[in-house]
Amino acid sequence: MGKDKTSFFDMQFITSGISTMLVLMLLGMVVFFVLSANSLSKYVRENISFAVMLSDDMKEPEALTFQKYLSEKPYVKDCTFISKEQALKEQTETMGTNPAEFVGHNPFPSSLEVRLKANYAFSDSICWIEKEILSNKKVLEIDYPEDLLNDVNDNIRKISIGLLCLAALLTLISFALINSTIRLAIHSKRFLIHTMTLVGASWGFIRRPFLWKNIWIGVFAAVLADAALIGMAYALVRYWPELIEIITPSIVLIVMLSVFVFGVLITLICSYISINKYLRMKASALYYI
C-alpha cells in the first residue's frame, strides 16, 4: 500500500471531498433552518405585545409600582409604562391631528405594554395571565391580538413539521449521494483489494487505509462546508443585523458540529460497507461491475 500512502491527498481525494462538501452544505442548511425555526418562533412570540389599559384613578406613581410588580412576574419579558401624555402624542403623530382638540380632553388612558416570554405566549396561558392582571380593580381591560397569536403559533407549528420532514428526506438523500461517491472511488481499487486477499492480507488490514482515507475526506469536506456556512451566516447578519436574534452563536455551533460529525460518520460507514462488498466478491464478479 506504499503507493496509496504517497497519493493519499490525490485528485480523487479532492474531488470526493468537494462532492461530499456540497452535500454536507445542503444538510447543514437544513439543520440550520430546523434550529432557526425554534429561535424564530421564540423571537416572534416575544415581540407580540398586549396593552394593559389603566384607570384614571391609578396615578403615575402607583402605575409605575404596578409596572415593577408585573416586570418581576416569571411570564413577563418586559413591561413598559405609557403615560396619557405619551399615548396622546403617539396617536397624534399616527393620525396627523390632535384628538384632544376635538373632544376637549385627553381621551387616551395610561397603559402598560407587556411582552411575554415565549413559553407563555399561548392562548391558554394568556387566559390565566389576563385574570391575574384584571384582579387589580384599577385595570380597565387587556387588549391583545388573540387571532394573530393563534395564527403565528399554528404557522410556526406547520413550518416546524415541514422542516423536520425535509430534514429526514435530505438526510436519506445525502447518505445516498455520499455513498455513491465513495463507492465509485473504491470501485477503482477493487482489483487491488482482491490481490491483497490472495496474498493473505486480513480484512482489517485491507480496510484500514481505505477507512482512514475516507475519514479524512469527511473531515476535509466538513471543514469546507462549515467554513462556507459560517460565511453565509455572517453575510446574512451583516446585511440584516436583526437576524442575530435568530442566527445565534449556539445555533451556528450546533450546525458546525452536526456537519462535522455527520461528515465523518457517513464517510466511515459508507466506506466500510463498500469495502466489505468487494472483500466478499469473487474474482469472476469483479469484471462485471
Side-chain angles (χ1 to χ4, degrees):
M1 296 293 288
K3 182 179 179 182
D4 291 270
K5 290 180 180 179
T6 58
S7 60
F8 191 82
F9 297 99
D10 53 12
M11 186 57 64
Q12 187 183 76
F13 180 97
I14 295 173
T15 54
S16 297
I18 292 175
S19 300
T20 306
M21 177 204 75
L22 296 174
V23 178
L24 291 178
M25 277 185 63
L26 181 63
L27 187 67
M29 290 172 67
V30 174
V31 173
F32 167 76
F33 286 127
V34 170
L35 295 175
S36 296
N38 183 52
S39 294
L40 178 61
S41 67
K42 180 179 178 181
Y43 176 79
V44 172
R45 290 190 188 110
E46 291 185 345
N47 279 277
I48 297 177
S49 61
F50 63 89
V52 179
M53 304 300 181
L54 305 176
S55 168
D56 290 339
D57 295 336
M58 183 181 284
K59 304 305 179 183
E60 187 167 326
E62 188 179 357
L64 292 174
T65 302
F66 188 52
Q67 175 200 8
K68 183 179 179 182
Y69 165 77
L70 287 180
S71 298
E72 293 173 350
K73 290 293 183 179
Y75 50 79
V76 173
K77 185 175 187 291
D78 61 59
C79 181
T80 305
F81 172 69
I82 301 175
S83 64
K84 290 172 64 68
E85 293 74 18
Q86 185 179 350
L88 176 62
K89 181 181 178 181
E90 291 177 356
Q91 290 299 322
T92 300
E93 292 175 353
T94 302
M95 299 170 61
T97 183
N98 189 346
E101 296 178 356
F102 297 96
V103 297
H105 66 279
N106 185 351
F108 301 106
S110 57
S111 63
L112 296 174
E113 184 179 338
V114 180
R115 291 195 298 165
L116 299 176
K117 293 180 180 177
N119 293 337
Y120 295 92
F122 297 92
S123 296
D124 54 348
S125 298
I126 291 178
C127 285
W128 63 262
I129 291 172
E130 182 179 15
K131 290 179 181 178
E132 183 174 329
I133 295 175
L134 287 173
S135 63
N136 188 318
K137 302 303 180 183
K138 293 184 180 180
V139 174
L140 295 175
E141 63 175 330
I142 295 177
D143 180 25
Y144 69 94
E146 184 176 4
D147 292 339
L148 174 61
L149 186 62
N150 290 334
D151 289 342
V152 166
N153 288 327
D154 288 342
N155 290 332
I156 288 174
R157 192 177 301 110
K158 291 176 183 176
I159 291 171
S160 299
I161 294 173
L163 285 174
L164 287 174
C165 293
L166 180 62
L169 177 62
L170 286 179
T171 300
L172 294 175
I173 294 174
S174 300
F175 184 91
L177 290 174
I178 294 174
N179 185 50
S180 297
T181 301
I182 292 175
R183 286 184 64 183
L184 286 173
I186 296 177
H187 176 79
S188 61
K189 306 288 187 181
R190 64 190 187 280
F191 291 109
L192 174 62
I193 292 172
H194 180 66
T195 301
M196 294 182 70
T197 59
L198 291 178
V199 297
S202 66
W203 283 20
F205 179 83
I206 297 171
R207 273 195 300 254
R208 193 175 302 117
F210 289 99
L211 294 178
W212 273 113
K213 183 170 184 176
N214 282 285
I215 287 173
W216 280 109
I217 287 175
V219 171
F220 174 71
V223 169
L224 290 181
D226 281 339
L229 290 170
I230 291 173
M232 292 168 63
Y234 175 78
L236 284 172
V237 171
R238 186 169 182 179
Y239 179 76
W240 194 357
E242 291 80 4
L243 284 177
I244 194 64
E245 297 285 341
I246 300 171
I247 308 176
T248 61
S250 59
I251 286 180
V252 173
L253 181 61
I254 292 173
V255 171
M256 289 177 61
L257 289 175
S258 299
V259 169
F260 187 86
V261 171
F262 185 84
V264 173
L265 284 180
I266 197 69
T267 49
L268 174 63
I269 293 171
C270 292
S271 60
Y272 185 88
I273 294 172
S274 297
I275 293 168
N276 281 355
K277 173 187 174 181
Y278 291 112
L279 286 171
R280 295 189 185 97
M281 194 172 291
K282 295 181 179 180
S284 58
L286 295 175
Y287 297 91
Y288 300 102
I289 58 172

